[in-house]
Amino acid sequence: MAGNLRGRHFLKLLDFSPSEIRNLLSLSAALKANKRAGVRGRALEGKSIALIFEKPSTRTRCAFTVACVDEGAHPEYLGKGDIQLGKKETVADTARVLGRMFDGIQFRGFAHQTVETLAAHAGVPVWNGLTDTWHPTQILADLLTVSEEFGRLDGLALAYVGDGRNNMANSLMVGCAKLGMDVRIVAPGALHPDPGLVKTVEGICAETGGSVTVTADVARGVAGAHAVYTDVWASMGEEAKIAERVALLRPYKVTPEMMEATGRREAIFLHCLPAFHSLETEVARQFPDICEVSDEVFEGPRSRVFDEAENRLHTIKAVMVATLGR
Ligand code: CP
Ligand code: NVA
């Protein structure tokens, strides 16, 4: 169903055509319906999958693990302290060893180059479960959630508000542009995306009919948005920058007033999670102004964040089935 993706890596959405992304979303929806109906898949039967994590994860790790088990594969978690990757052994050597034993490799970590190097040397499909630059599997879940809500993607407006140069902003810009959406990055000037990437995204929009706007003006950025999206203000690895980010991003916190400013009663709220929305976590108690979204929006009727989190499972399963499945 996902066309000809067998043997392909899944490293960033720039590598995929709009129809390939659409096909992955259709396959995700079909796998979701099967799971709901209690139909077990066997597309990955007999496969062994390596899950390498340099950074922590709840959703991505669990989605890969459950997706493997659902389709008959064996997942093996390889945490930061478990393997030599880049420490006593080059990434290329680890890739060649794992590629001799495993049928597919997931990598989550810091430098995007690491996942590219793994892919260049492993000889089996490699999937990016988040790097400092890209988070492509997350975008599939986001797009599936938006399309479930509105029945389409083409022409819909999504406003991403917050740190405009992180992995989520980068990936949303590309994913939304590829599917002909109107994507806005709403961030203070100091956190605007790389102009080179914006240019690339403008080129994509010229082909798909989508549009991209980068603005520091919240009212302009969210007007007419069907979905308002945010992410943490300091990503994994940026913990030392929390105070600086709070100072810069306070006016960009998603509040009920910001949701109203969309002018759309049907506008939804999205977040890749984990989110700071209350003072009920250790880090939020340490930095009480860290919340990028108010509890009222996060827990309110417009929030689709847990549908989105569930969709990580179905979309990650689709990526593995399409690139490796029978
Ligand atoms: N959204 C996301 O990637 O969540 P985790 O960090 O828990 O995997
Ligand atoms: N930008 C966040 C996304 C987490 C899913 C981070 O990299 O920490």
Side-chain angles (χ1 to χ4, degrees), residues 63-115:
F64 270 100
T65 303
V66 174
C68 281
V69 173
D70 279 356
E71 293 294 330
H74 167 78
E76 185 67 22
Y77 180 78
L78 302 169
K80 196 174 158 42
D82 298 333
I83 55 171
Q84 293 296 356
L85 190 76
K87 280 177 282 181
K88 255 179 83 175
E89 179 168 72
T90 66
V91 174
D93 289 354
T94 301
R96 285 178 285 183
V97 172
L98 295 182
R100 297 287 183 108
M101 300 188 189
F102 289 93
D103 302 288
I105 301 171
Q106 184 279 168
F107 173 81
R108 160 171 291 202
F110 294 90
H112 185 73
Q113 186 53 49
T114 307
V115 78

Side-chain angles (χ1 to χ4, degrees), residues 9 19 31 40 43 51 61 89 111 120 129 131 137 156 163 178 207-209 217-218 221 229 242 277 291:
H9 303 298
S19 67
L31 291 168
R40 287 298 294 256
L51 304 176
R61 174 183 178 174
E89 179 168 72
T131 61
T137 63
L156 294 184
D163 176 5
K178 290 243 174 194
E207 287 177 16
T208 62
D217 181 338
V218 173
Y229 199 120
I242 291 177
H277 59 92
C291 294

Side-chain angles (χ1 to χ4, degrees), residues 220-235:
R220 175 175 168 234
V222 305
H226 296 84
V228 175
Y229 199 120
T230 194
D231 182 14
V232 289
W233 291 343
S235 288

Side-chain angles (χ1 to χ4, degrees), residues 161 228 230-231 233 249-250 252-260 269-271 273 275-280 288-303 305:
V161 185
V228 175
T230 194
D231 182 14
W233 291 343
L249 285 163
R250 207 179 267 123
Y252 294 84
K253 177 174 180 167
V254 180
T255 58
E257 293 71 39
M258 192 190 288
M259 295 304 299
E260 280 305 301
F269 170 71
L270 297 173
H271 194 307
L273 305 184
F276 290 115
H277 59 92
S278 75
L279 299 187
E280 288 173 45
D289 293 328
I290 202 173
C291 294
E292 67 275 4
V293 55
S294 74
D295 209 34
E296 210 177 329
V297 172
F298 188 89
E299 300 290 357
R302 294 174 185 268
S303 179
V305 297

